[in-house]
Amino acid sequence: MSFELSGTLIEKFDTQKVSDKFSKREFVIEKKEDTGNFEFVDQIKFQLTQDRCNLLDNFNKGDEIKVSFNIRGRKWE
């Protein structure tokens, strides 16, 4: 499944080299949604892996960004 989410970049972390073959970089965006009477604010953490880790290099905290992402998981038992 593929999704998109727009929000404000509130944190970006350095790339972590987990092993010789795997790197990851995490970042957090803030998504605000106004329903009329209430404003909902969510902070969502994402993770980039491998060659995608450098995609955040040109963005700064406070920038509005759009994130395209996939949801993957394993069967819960």
Side-chain angles (χ1 to χ4, degrees):
M1 287 185 265
S2 184
F3 298 94
E4 285 188 351
L5 185 70
S6 296
T8 305
L9 179 65
I10 60 170
E11 189 65 58
K12 66 178 184 177
F13 300 96
D14 293 332
T15 300
Q16 296 176 321
K17 190 168 179 122
V18 178
S19 70
D20 289 341
K21 296 181 181 181
F22 184 74
S23 297
K24 69 178 184 175
R25 185 174 191 181
E26 297 177 331
F27 65 100
V28 180
I29 66 168
E30 184 174 78
K31 170 76 174 154
K32 293 183 181 179
E33 191 171 330
D34 192 354
T35 62
N37 296 333
F38 299 100
E39 181 181 67
F40 294 97
V41 179
D42 291 311
Q43 294 180 347
I44 304 125
K45 189 178 201 180
F46 289 95
Q47 183 182 83
L48 300 168
T49 58
Q50 302 302 84
D51 59 338
R52 293 190 174 116
C53 290
N54 62 353
L55 291 175
L56 283 177
D57 290 346
N58 295 325
F59 294 98
N60 298 309
K61 291 181 188 179
D63 287 351
E64 290 293 318
I65 62 173
K66 182 189 286 186
V67 179
S68 298
F69 60 97
N70 294 319
I71 295 178
R72 296 185 200 137
R74 294 187 175 99
K75 182 179 177 183
W76 177 79
E77 294 184 32

XYZ file of all heavy atoms in Angstrom:
647
model
N 0.832 -1.176 0.000
C 0.000 0.000 0.000
C 0.876 1.239 0.000
O 1.862 1.303 0.720
C -0.875 0.016 1.250
C -2.000 -0.975 1.233
S -3.043 -0.774 2.676
C -2.305 -1.994 3.741
N 0.493 2.228 -0.773
C 1.256 3.459 -0.851
C 0.390 4.625 -0.362
O -0.783 4.729 -0.724
C 1.693 3.695 -2.293
O 2.501 4.833 -2.368
N 0.981 5.491 0.452
C 0.278 6.620 1.036
C 1.107 7.883 0.915
O 2.317 7.825 0.702
C 0.004 6.358 2.531
C -0.875 5.180 2.788
C -0.315 3.935 3.033
C -2.245 5.296 2.788
C -1.106 2.832 3.271
C -3.052 4.200 3.031
C -2.481 2.975 3.277
N 0.464 9.046 1.101
C 1.158 10.330 1.140
C 0.659 11.110 2.342
O -0.511 11.012 2.720
C 0.890 11.148 -0.117
C 1.614 10.690 -1.323
C 1.468 11.644 -2.491
O 0.649 12.588 -2.418
O 2.170 11.444 -3.467
N 1.572 11.898 2.928
C 1.247 12.709 4.090
C 2.064 13.983 4.019
O 3.269 13.934 3.746
C 1.590 11.930 5.368
C 1.212 12.551 6.693
C -0.303 12.550 6.863
C 1.857 11.799 7.828
N 1.427 15.119 4.233
C 2.132 16.399 4.250
C 2.163 16.937 5.667
O 1.205 16.765 6.422
C 1.435 17.407 3.343
O 1.480 16.986 2.011
N 3.254 17.604 6.007
C 3.383 18.171 7.339
C 4.666 18.966 7.460
O 5.373 19.202 6.483
N 4.963 19.368 8.679
C 6.147 20.169 8.974
C 7.247 19.277 9.525
O 7.013 18.503 10.455
C 5.802 21.251 10.020
O 4.696 22.023 9.541
C 6.986 22.164 10.274
N 8.433 19.398 8.959
C 9.586 18.643 9.456
C 10.010 19.244 10.793
O 10.370 20.413 10.867
C 10.740 18.718 8.451
C 12.020 17.995 8.827
C 11.791 16.490 8.910
C 13.123 18.307 7.829
N 9.899 18.461 11.865
C 10.267 18.994 13.183
C 11.555 18.397 13.731
O 12.140 18.945 14.665
C 9.125 18.850 14.206
C 8.735 17.397 14.418
C 7.926 19.667 13.787
C 7.797 17.201 15.588
N 12.022 17.297 13.148
C 13.288 16.703 13.588
C 13.823 15.808 12.486
O 13.061 15.089 11.839
C 13.084 15.884 14.863
C 14.351 15.403 15.508
C 15.228 16.523 16.043
O 14.749 17.297 16.881
O 16.385 16.618 15.599
N 15.115 15.883 12.260
C 15.775 14.922 11.378
C 17.057 14.480 12.063
O 17.792 15.286 12.610
C 16.022 15.469 9.981
C 17.001 16.602 9.869
C 17.178 16.999 8.404
C 18.229 18.060 8.252
N 18.473 18.398 6.855
N 17.271 13.203 12.062
C 18.405 12.619 12.758
C 19.498 12.265 11.762
O 19.256 12.183 10.555
C 17.958 11.370 13.531
C 16.897 11.658 14.545
C 15.553 11.466 14.248
C 17.224 12.144 15.796
C 14.564 11.737 15.177
C 16.245 12.422 16.740
C 14.914 12.222 16.430
N 20.689 12.049 12.251
C 21.802 11.651 11.405
C 21.597 10.222 10.916
O 20.909 9.416 11.551
C 23.123 11.728 12.182
C 23.505 13.156 12.535
O 23.105 14.085 11.793
O 24.193 13.343 13.552
N 22.229 9.914 9.806
C 22.190 8.557 9.266
C 22.960 7.627 10.199
O 24.042 7.956 10.659
C 22.801 8.521 7.856
O 22.041 9.385 7.012
C 22.799 7.120 7.284
N 22.364 6.487 10.492
C 22.998 5.483 11.343
C 23.403 4.294 10.477
O 22.583 3.757 9.729
C 22.037 4.993 12.417
C 21.617 6.057 13.388
C 20.585 5.515 14.364
O 19.710 4.742 13.998
N 20.710 5.933 15.611
N 24.639 3.898 10.593
C 25.115 2.709 9.885
C 24.925 1.526 10.822
O 25.682 1.349 11.779
C 26.566 2.881 9.479
C 27.047 1.813 8.556
C 28.384 2.179 7.961
C 28.827 1.063 7.072
N 29.058 1.463 5.716
N 23.913 0.729 10.571
C 23.569 -0.394 11.431
C 24.529 -1.554 11.216
O 24.942 -2.218 12.163
C 22.109 -0.829 11.185
C 21.745 -2.038 12.027
C 21.157 0.332 11.471
N 24.887 -1.782 9.963
C 25.864 -2.824 9.624
C 26.569 -2.389 8.344
O 26.291 -1.330 7.800
C 25.178 -4.181 9.434
O 24.405 -4.180 8.260
N 27.462 -3.233 7.850
C 28.176 -2.909 6.610
C 27.227 -2.759 5.427
O 27.527 -2.056 4.479
C 29.210 -3.988 6.281
C 30.388 -3.951 7.238
O 30.591 -2.908 7.898
O 31.101 -4.974 7.328
N 26.075 -3.406 5.506
C 25.150 -3.421 4.375
C 23.850 -2.664 4.636
O 22.987 -2.623 3.757
C 24.808 -4.858 4.001
C 26.001 -5.648 3.515
C 25.610 -7.043 3.131
C 26.824 -7.834 2.672
N 26.467 -9.190 2.268
N 23.689 -2.069 5.809
C 22.406 -1.432 6.113
C 22.595 -0.105 6.836
O 23.287 -0.032 7.852
C 21.547 -2.360 6.987
C 20.175 -1.811 7.250
C 19.209 -1.797 6.269
C 19.854 -1.298 8.501
C 17.951 -1.290 6.511
C 18.601 -0.789 8.758
C 17.642 -0.780 7.756
N 21.961 0.951 6.288
C 21.949 2.283 6.909
C 20.505 2.755 7.018
O 19.658 2.398 6.192
C 22.730 3.285 6.051
O 24.072 2.915 5.963
N 20.242 3.583 8.027
C 18.902 4.133 8.189
C 18.996 5.570 8.706
O 19.996 5.972 9.306
C 18.064 3.287 9.143
C 18.524 3.347 10.592
C 17.615 2.532 11.482
C 18.040 2.673 12.948
N 17.112 1.991 13.840
N 17.932 6.342 8.438
C 17.851 7.714 8.924
C 16.401 7.986 9.295
O 15.485 7.724 8.517
C 18.298 8.689 7.845
C 18.355 10.121 8.335
C 18.939 11.011 7.276
N 19.244 12.322 7.827
C 19.745 13.306 7.123
N 20.020 13.140 5.844
N 19.995 14.468 7.683
N 16.195 8.497 10.495
C 14.844 8.756 10.979
C 14.552 10.250 10.965
O 15.459 11.065 11.082
C 14.677 8.175 12.377
C 14.840 6.666 12.394
C 14.742 6.061 13.780
O 15.079 6.738 14.767
O 14.337 4.901 13.864
N 13.267 10.569 10.822
C 12.824 11.955 10.883
C 11.381 11.994 11.378
O 10.674 10.988 11.336
C 12.968 12.646 9.523
C 12.095 12.088 8.423
C 10.918 12.722 8.072
C 12.468 10.948 7.736
C 10.124 12.226 7.046
C 11.693 10.447 6.717
C 10.512 11.087 6.372
N 10.977 13.166 11.877
C 9.645 13.327 12.455
C 8.960 14.498 11.768
O 9.547 15.571 11.615
C 9.725 13.589 13.976
C 8.334 13.745 14.580
C 10.499 12.479 14.681
N 7.706 14.278 11.365
C 6.917 15.387 10.847
C 5.707 15.600 11.748
O 5.243 14.685 12.424
C 6.471 15.189 9.383
C 5.490 14.039 9.243
C 7.651 14.998 8.472
C 4.825 14.014 7.882
N 5.246 16.838 11.762
C 4.064 17.191 12.544
C 2.922 17.456 11.575
O 3.038 18.247 10.651
C 4.338 18.435 13.381
C 3.191 18.804 14.298
C 3.588 19.956 15.202
O 3.578 21.103 14.707
O 3.901 19.699 16.372
N 1.822 16.767 11.787
C 0.631 16.879 10.947
C -0.481 17.489 11.785
O -0.821 16.972 12.846
C 0.232 15.490 10.447
C -1.089 15.410 9.771
C -1.015 15.968 8.386
C -2.352 15.716 7.685
N -2.628 16.652 6.651
N -1.010 18.631 11.318
C -2.118 19.275 12.013
C -3.379 19.112 11.183
O -3.365 19.253 9.972
C -1.830 20.760 12.223
C -0.698 21.022 13.171
C -0.496 22.500 13.393
C 0.678 22.721 14.342
N 0.930 24.136 14.582
N -4.472 18.817 11.889
C -5.756 18.644 11.222
C -6.809 19.386 12.028
O -6.958 19.151 13.224
C -6.094 17.161 11.116
C -7.255 16.868 10.221
C -7.412 15.387 9.968
O -6.414 14.662 9.983
O -8.562 14.969 9.773
N -7.520 20.280 11.381
C -8.547 21.086 12.039
C -9.912 20.554 11.639
O -10.240 20.489 10.454
C -8.402 22.548 11.631
C -9.230 23.481 12.491
O -10.012 23.001 13.331
O -9.077 24.706 12.317
N -10.710 20.154 12.627
C -12.041 19.620 12.347
C -13.134 20.625 12.662
O -14.294 20.257 12.789
C -12.285 18.331 13.155
O -12.232 18.653 14.547
C -11.281 17.270 12.808
N -12.799 21.876 12.819
C -13.792 22.892 13.156
C -13.692 23.275 14.613
O -13.262 24.374 14.945
N -14.069 22.365 15.497
C -14.033 22.639 16.931
C -12.717 22.230 17.576
O -12.372 22.723 18.640
C -15.177 21.914 17.645
C -16.530 22.430 17.198
O -16.653 23.574 16.781
N -17.535 21.577 17.270
N -12.019 21.321 16.943
C -10.798 20.784 17.542
C -9.659 20.806 16.534
O -9.866 20.654 15.333
C -11.004 19.337 18.012
C -12.053 19.188 19.062
C -13.325 18.753 18.731
C -11.785 19.482 20.387
C -14.306 18.614 19.691
C -12.755 19.345 21.360
C -14.021 18.917 21.013
N -8.456 20.970 17.050
C -7.265 20.832 16.219
C -6.486 19.633 16.732
O -6.128 19.572 17.902
C -6.387 22.083 16.281
C -5.157 21.965 15.420
C -4.263 23.184 15.488
O -3.684 23.426 16.560
O -4.165 23.874 14.476
N -6.279 18.681 15.847
C -5.519 17.492 16.193
C -4.099 17.655 15.680
O -3.890 18.030 14.527
C -6.149 16.244 15.574
C -7.504 15.927 16.136
C -8.647 16.338 15.482
C -7.630 15.239 17.332
C -9.902 16.053 15.997
C -8.878 14.950 17.862
C -10.014 15.362 17.188
N -3.132 17.381 16.539
C -1.724 17.476 16.163
C -1.081 16.114 16.400
O -1.112 15.592 17.510
C -0.989 18.559 16.986
C 0.474 18.615 16.599
C -1.653 19.918 16.800
N -0.551 15.547 15.335
C 0.139 14.262 15.421
C 1.592 14.456 15.033
O 1.905 15.211 14.116
C -0.479 13.234 14.471
C -1.868 12.812 14.903
O -2.023 12.475 16.093
O -2.775 12.821 14.066
N 2.478 13.775 15.722
C 3.891 13.750 15.369
C 4.215 12.319 14.948
O 4.054 11.387 15.729
C 4.758 14.203 16.530
C 4.520 15.663 16.872
C 5.370 16.157 18.015
O 5.977 15.387 18.740
N 5.401 17.464 18.177
N 4.635 12.186 13.688
C 4.825 10.877 13.101
C 6.290 10.681 12.748
O 6.894 11.528 12.093
C 3.953 10.703 11.844
C 2.491 10.956 12.209
C 4.105 9.319 11.246
C 1.840 11.986 11.386
N 6.848 9.567 13.189
C 8.255 9.252 12.927
C 8.346 8.319 11.721
O 7.621 7.325 11.635
C 8.869 8.572 14.147
C 10.355 8.395 14.077
C 10.829 7.762 15.376
C 12.285 7.995 15.624
N 12.711 7.375 16.884
N 9.238 8.678 10.804
C 9.481 7.880 9.606
C 10.935 7.429 9.584
O 11.774 7.997 10.267
C 9.213 8.699 8.338
C 7.755 8.978 8.104
C 7.189 10.154 8.538
C 6.968 8.070 7.418
C 5.850 10.421 8.321
C 5.632 8.325 7.190
C 5.068 9.508 7.641
N 11.203 6.443 8.746
C 12.557 5.928 8.615
C 12.887 5.763 7.129
O 12.125 5.159 6.379
C 12.668 4.580 9.313
C 14.052 3.986 9.304
C 14.058 2.637 9.984
O 13.734 1.626 9.368
N 14.422 2.622 11.261
N 14.019 6.330 6.735
C 14.576 6.128 5.400
C 15.654 5.064 5.502
O 16.335 4.975 6.525
C 15.198 7.418 4.871
C 14.273 8.622 4.740
C 15.086 9.876 4.491
C 13.284 8.400 3.618
N 15.820 4.273 4.461
C 16.852 3.242 4.475
C 17.705 3.311 3.220
O 17.279 3.819 2.185
C 16.240 1.834 4.585
O 15.354 1.621 3.496
C 15.507 1.638 5.899
N 18.907 2.808 3.357
C 19.869 2.624 2.280
C 20.115 3.906 1.488
O 20.440 4.923 2.066
C 19.437 1.471 1.377
C 19.277 0.140 2.097
C 20.525 -0.308 2.796
O 20.787 0.093 3.906
N 21.307 -1.168 2.161
N 19.943 3.875 0.175
C 20.276 5.013 -0.684
C 19.291 6.175 -0.543
O 19.534 7.252 -1.075
C 20.367 4.569 -2.145
C 19.083 3.964 -2.665
O 18.263 3.497 -1.857
O 18.901 3.949 -3.900
N 18.207 5.999 0.186
C 17.233 7.079 0.379
C 17.575 7.980 1.569
O 16.929 8.997 1.784
C 15.847 6.486 0.548
C 15.355 5.821 -0.716
C 13.901 5.460 -0.609
N 13.442 4.959 -1.889
C 13.027 3.730 -2.086
N 13.004 2.870 -1.105
N 12.616 3.358 -3.278
N 18.588 7.614 2.344
C 18.941 8.385 3.545
C 19.294 9.837 3.236
O 19.063 10.716 4.053
C 20.106 7.722 4.283
S 19.672 6.160 5.073
N 19.810 10.104 2.055
C 20.225 11.464 1.720
C 19.081 12.335 1.201
O 19.281 13.509 0.905
C 21.368 11.439 0.701
C 20.976 10.805 -0.605
O 19.889 10.264 -0.740
N 21.870 10.845 -1.573
N 17.874 11.814 1.096
C 16.742 12.598 0.609
C 16.427 13.797 1.503
O 15.851 14.778 1.045
C 15.492 11.719 0.479
C 15.525 10.666 -0.624
C 14.285 9.785 -0.555
C 15.636 11.321 -1.989
N 16.804 13.748 2.771
C 16.513 14.841 3.706
C 17.574 15.939 3.718
O 17.375 16.970 4.348
C 16.382 14.294 5.134
C 15.094 13.591 5.479
C 15.159 13.059 6.900
C 13.908 14.500 5.323
N 18.669 15.734 3.035
C 19.791 16.668 3.112
C 19.414 18.104 2.752
O 19.948 19.044 3.325
C 20.950 16.202 2.226
C 21.634 14.962 2.779
O 21.401 14.620 3.957
O 22.400 14.336 2.020
N 18.502 18.301 1.811
C 18.141 19.642 1.368
C 16.990 20.261 2.141
O 16.519 21.346 1.789
C 17.797 19.623 -0.127
C 18.998 19.271 -0.974
O 20.118 19.638 -0.656
N 18.760 18.539 -2.040
N 16.522 19.595 3.189
C 15.412 20.110 3.986
C 15.901 20.527 5.368
O 16.826 19.940 5.920
C 14.315 19.053 4.137
C 13.647 18.716 2.836
C 14.019 17.599 2.112
C 12.641 19.522 2.334
C 13.419 17.278 0.913
C 12.021 19.214 1.130
C 12.418 18.098 0.423
N 15.243 21.547 5.931
C 15.566 22.044 7.262
C 14.355 21.908 8.173
O 13.210 21.820 7.697
C 15.974 23.521 7.190
C 17.213 23.727 6.364
O 18.219 23.080 6.573
N 17.130 24.620 5.390
N 14.595 21.925 9.467
C 13.494 21.920 10.418
C 12.581 23.095 10.121
O 13.044 24.196 9.828
C 14.014 22.027 11.850
C 14.743 20.804 12.330
C 15.186 21.004 13.767
C 16.087 19.896 14.235
N 16.533 20.108 15.604
N 11.282 22.859 10.169
C 10.304 23.902 9.890
C 9.806 23.898 8.456
O 8.803 24.540 8.148
N 10.475 23.175 7.568
C 10.037 23.087 6.176
C 8.785 22.230 6.063
O 8.622 21.238 6.775
C 11.125 22.463 5.294
C 12.296 23.380 5.037
O 12.211 24.570 5.395
O 13.300 22.903 4.472
N 7.914 22.632 5.153
C 6.747 21.816 4.823
C 7.202 20.761 3.825
O 7.827 21.086 2.818
C 5.642 22.663 4.215
C 4.990 23.616 5.199
C 4.207 22.892 6.284
O 3.496 21.912 5.962
O 4.301 23.313 7.449
N 6.900 19.496 4.111
C 7.312 18.415 3.221
C 6.149 17.467 2.972
O 5.194 17.411 3.750
C 8.525 17.627 3.772
C 8.202 16.945 5.099
C 9.738 18.526 3.911
C 9.313 16.013 5.590
N 6.232 16.749 1.869
C 5.270 15.698 1.559
C 6.022 14.377 1.555
O 7.056 14.250 0.897
C 4.629 15.918 0.201
C 3.567 14.864 -0.140
C 3.097 14.959 -1.567
C 2.198 16.167 -1.724
N 1.595 16.211 -3.089
N 5.512 13.400 2.281
C 6.155 12.101 2.414
C 5.293 11.053 1.718
O 4.096 10.955 1.992
C 6.332 11.726 3.904
C 6.984 10.362 4.043
C 7.127 12.780 4.644
N 5.889 10.307 0.817
C 5.238 9.148 0.213
C 5.826 7.922 0.880
O 7.049 7.793 0.976
C 5.510 9.106 -1.289
O 4.983 10.247 -1.907
N 4.975 7.025 1.337
C 5.481 5.888 2.102
C 4.627 4.651 1.883
O 3.484 4.735 1.438
C 5.553 6.232 3.598
C 4.229 6.599 4.214
C 3.485 5.652 4.895
C 3.728 7.892 4.125
C 2.268 5.981 5.470
C 2.521 8.237 4.694
C 1.782 7.277 5.367
N 5.202 3.521 2.198
C 4.518 2.239 2.148
C 4.410 1.693 3.557
O 5.285 1.927 4.393
C 5.297 1.238 1.287
C 5.331 1.645 -0.164
O 4.332 2.101 -0.702
N 6.483 1.531 -0.774
N 3.358 0.979 3.801
C 3.197 0.304 5.087
C 3.426 -1.191 4.851
O 2.818 -1.790 3.979
C 1.789 0.523 5.672
C 1.627 2.002 5.991
C 1.588 -0.329 6.915
C 0.259 2.354 6.520
N 4.347 -1.716 5.636
C 4.662 -3.143 5.543
C 4.623 -3.731 6.944
O 4.880 -3.054 7.919
C 6.045 -3.361 4.956
C 6.173 -2.894 3.555
C 7.527 -3.262 2.996
N 7.775 -2.409 1.850
C 8.914 -1.818 1.588
N 9.933 -1.983 2.392
N 9.046 -1.090 0.522
N 4.315 -4.975 7.007
C 4.304 -5.631 8.308
C 4.279 -7.140 8.162
O 4.174 -7.672 7.069
N 4.402 -7.753 9.279
C 4.357 -9.215 9.329
C 3.128 -9.625 10.128
O 2.620 -8.859 10.947
C 5.615 -9.762 9.988
C 6.851 -9.484 9.170
C 8.052 -10.205 9.786
N 9.215 -10.038 8.950
C 10.166 -9.151 9.154
N 10.101 -8.330 10.177
N 11.187 -9.071 8.342
N 2.710 -10.814 9.918
C 1.556 -11.343 10.617
C 1.817 -11.332 12.125
O 2.862 -11.786 12.597
C 1.253 -12.763 10.150
C 0.043 -13.360 10.809
C -0.219 -14.752 10.287
C -1.396 -15.377 11.012
N -1.646 -16.747 10.585
N 0.879 -10.770 12.854
C 0.987 -10.726 14.302
C 0.417 -12.004 14.869
O -0.638 -12.490 14.469
C 0.228 -9.526 14.847
C 0.245 -9.465 16.331
C 1.252 -9.019 17.111
C -0.785 -9.894 17.217
N 0.927 -9.132 18.424
C -0.334 -9.665 18.534
C -2.039 -10.453 17.048
C -1.094 -9.969 19.655
C -2.784 -10.744 18.165
C -2.307 -10.512 19.449
N 1.154 -12.601 15.799
C 0.680 -13.853 16.426
C 0.752 -13.716 17.918
O 1.624 -13.118 18.464
C 1.530 -15.021 15.963
C 1.354 -15.299 14.492
C 2.139 -16.519 14.050
O 2.310 -17.447 14.858
O 2.572 -16.532 12.900
